[in-house]
Amino acid sequence: ERSSGAMATNAPAVQVVLRAYNWAATATPDDLYALLVSLPGLYREWWLDLYREAPVHVFVETTLILFVVWLWFIRPTVNPKRMAKAGARLTRAEVDELVEEWQPEPLVKPLDEDERRVADSMLAVDAVEGNYMRIRGVAKPALNLATFDFHGMAQRPELKEASRLALEKYGCGSCGPRGFYGTIDVHLELESAFARFFSVPETISYSDGSSTVASAIPAFAKRGDVIVADEAVAEPVRTGIELSRASVEWFRHNDMADLRRALEAVEDKDRDAGRTSEDRRRFIVVEGLYRNTGSIVPLQRVLELKKRFKYRLVVDESFSFGTLGDSGRGVTQHFGVGVDEVEILTFSMENAIGSVGGVCVGAQPVVDHQRLSGAGYCFSASTPPFLSAAALESLRVLEAEPGLVAVLRARAAR
């Protein structure tokens, strides 16, 4: 300890500090004046010594000092007051002349020859009239097969009027996500209307149909969980499965024997790893009416296996809502199954409803969890109010005219 203390006392830095302290303690005003007078000479000697030892360092440092001086004191800067005074000296005629001469750049650059050729080869739709479209250059109206608006809701005058009134009241956009100044009263009315329609406590609406199921699945399934899914599910469902990063087992389309095989395989893996059904979350993912095949899920068989192996069930009803069931409530009504037997039920409003967005139906904890964990809800701008108003009116039409579903099924059976 004594030797280390001696070394610390003899250190050059410590000695300099001690000398400065001792000098300051005994210095007189004359000593301070003499120090101030000698500072330029001392700085000059230090600078010359540094130049002799490291000329490159001196050059770089001098350049930086000159640049700072130029930046702060020499370089001309923008003076808003000066510019305002200069602008005030313009006459009204000069201002009008400048405005008339100004030519804004086009929002879209002109098409080149190849792009023009491609554009001219495309069909242009001039008008949509019910189930038919008028195509430019074609004399007869064409049957519109490029839509999933099964009931023609988007063409109904009630929806157009509801959209017009909402546009006049709210404007076009909502200007933010639902959790950040993007919730409008019509969004809440729409969620309440769907909750009454399905006889559930609460629902949550998304601004995009595809992102509804793609957000709902990863909101609950995470890395380490397991998903058993039908191999024929559509792209939005697959996106949600991939985003969850859960382990995935696929079973053959609507093959309940293969679904049992997949569930048993997961059960065997859990047994070998010493896991129980409580150690990780497990989900079965299906569609009510499959977009890729047009077939209906055997929901009652799926529910039996779900209960037997203790899984949660996710059903995307984007194509079964509004088309199956006596009043269009989907595959659960079609099979006489309660909605509460499906933990997570999603559907798009871009098909039978004829609007934009999607809805997730479930118990209150399921809905509330998505308000903080559903990516499409938290980070996407909410649905434009006029589209939510259109969806609300479409739901009223579906409730007031339950025969629409029967007519649709009769036409589909032809």
Side-chain angles (χ1 to χ4, degrees):
E1 293 178 358
R2 184 175 302 168
S3 62
S4 62
M7 291 176 61
T9 305
N10 293 329
V14 175
Q15 290 180 3
V16 171
V17 172
L18 290 175
R19 288 177 185 174
Y21 176 79
N22 293 331
W23 183 87
T26 59
T28 64
D30 292 337
D31 295 332
L32 292 175
Y33 176 77
L35 176 63
L36 292 174
V37 171
S38 64
L39 279 178
L42 294 174
Y43 181 76
R44 178 176 174 274
E45 291 297 328
W46 172 80
W47 191 264
L48 292 175
D49 291 340
L50 183 61
Y51 176 75
R52 285 189 289 269
E53 294 177 4
V56 176
H57 174 80
V58 173
F59 174 77
V60 173
E61 187 170 336
T62 304
T63 303
L64 291 175
I65 292 174
L66 293 175
F67 175 74
V68 171
V69 171
W70 174 84
L71 190 67
W72 281 92
F73 301 105
I74 301 175
R75 182 176 69 93
T77 58
V78 176
N79 190 329
K81 294 183 179 180
R82 188 185 306 161
M83 293 181 64
K85 291 179 180 179
R89 289 196 295 267
L90 292 175
T91 65
R92 182 66 183 177
E94 290 172 332
V95 172
D96 293 340
E97 183 179 358
L98 289 174
V99 172
E100 186 176 355
E101 292 176 353
W102 180 68
Q103 294 293 332
E105 294 186 5
L107 295 177
V108 180
K109 66 178 183 178
L111 301 179
D112 57 31
E113 185 177 347
D114 292 337
E115 292 172 336
R116 173 58 62 186
R117 189 182 304 111
V118 173
D120 292 340
S121 66
M122 294 180 178
L123 297 177
V125 178
D126 288 331
V128 178
E129 301 170 352
N131 297 327
Y132 291 86
M133 298 185 299
R134 292 202 171 273
I135 300 175
R136 189 174 303 168
V138 178
K140 294 183 178 180
L143 182 63
N144 184 9
L145 297 178
T147 179
F148 290 133
D149 185 9
F150 304 123
H151 300 297
M153 290 289 190
Q155 301 303 315
R156 295 184 72 115
E158 307 99 300
L159 268 70
K160 294 181 179 180
E161 179 63 14
S163 300
R164 185 187 67 80
L165 293 175
L167 273 171
E168 293 179 353
K169 180 178 180 180
Y170 303 104
C172 184
S174 56
C175 301
R178 288 290 302 274
F180 300 93
Y181 54 79
T183 295
I184 311 297
D185 55 0
V186 70
H187 296 142
L188 303 177
E189 292 175 14
L190 181 63
E191 291 175 346
S192 298
F194 274 116
R196 291 191 300 270
F197 187 74
F198 282 99
S199 300
V200 295
E202 197 172 350
T203 65
I204 181 172
S205 63
Y206 287 80
S207 58
D208 180 76
S210 297
S211 67
T212 303
V213 65
S215 298
I217 293 176
F220 296 95
K222 307 293 183 182
R223 188 187 300 273
D225 298 333
V226 61
I227 292 176
V228 179
D230 191 298
E231 64 181 9
V233 292
E235 184 270 336
V237 183
R238 287 181 175 269
T239 299
I241 293 172
E242 292 174 3
L243 291 176
S244 72
R245 298 177 295 176
S247 300
V248 184
E249 291 282 343
W250 299 96
F251 65 92
R252 289 192 295 272
H253 177 49
N254 270 355
D255 189 333
M256 294 299 100
D258 198 50
L259 172 58
R260 174 181 284 274
R261 174 206 57 79
L263 297 175
E264 290 175 347
V266 173
E267 190 176 52
D268 293 340
K269 292 178 183 178
D270 286 345
R271 187 183 303 110
D272 294 340
R275 289 190 295 258
T276 66
S277 60
E278 303 295 330
D279 291 335
R280 59 177 179 169
R281 289 162 294 199
R282 304 188 291 183
F283 302 87
I284 298 175
V285 179
V286 296
E287 291 183 48
L289 176 61
Y290 285 88
R291 172 177 180 170
N292 292 334
T293 65
S295 53
I296 301 173
V297 63
L299 185 60
Q300 293 172 321
R301 298 276 307 282
V302 173
L303 287 172
E304 292 174 4
L305 293 173
K306 165 216 160 186
K307 295 174 183 177
R308 158 69 179 81
F309 289 91
K310 298 180 181 179
Y311 274 65
R312 296 177 176 92
L313 180 59
V314 180
V315 180
D316 181 53
E317 293 218 55
S318 293
F319 284 80
S320 53
F321 173 74
T323 61
L324 295 181
D326 293 338
S327 57
R329 284 173 170 80
V331 71
T332 53
Q333 187 182 50
H334 178 75
F335 286 104
V337 173
V339 178
D340 56 348
E341 295 197 46
V342 178
E343 281 74 15
I344 303 173
L345 189 152
T346 64
F347 61 87
S348 170
M349 292 187 290
E350 297 166 9
N351 299 333
I353 290 294
S355 184
V356 171
V359 175
C360 181
V361 177
Q364 186 171 0
V366 172
V367 171
D368 288 345
H369 179 72
Q370 292 178 72
R371 298 195 189 279
L372 294 177
S373 300
Y377 182 91
C378 296
F379 303 112
S380 295
S382 59
T383 310
F386 76 93
L387 290 173
S388 293
L392 188 59
E393 185 63 30
S394 181
L395 183 62
R396 290 171 181 156
V397 170
L398 191 62
E399 289 184 287
E401 303 178 27
L404 288 173
V405 180
V407 172
L408 176 65
R409 284 204 299 266
R411 291 176 176 174
R414 291 178 183 174

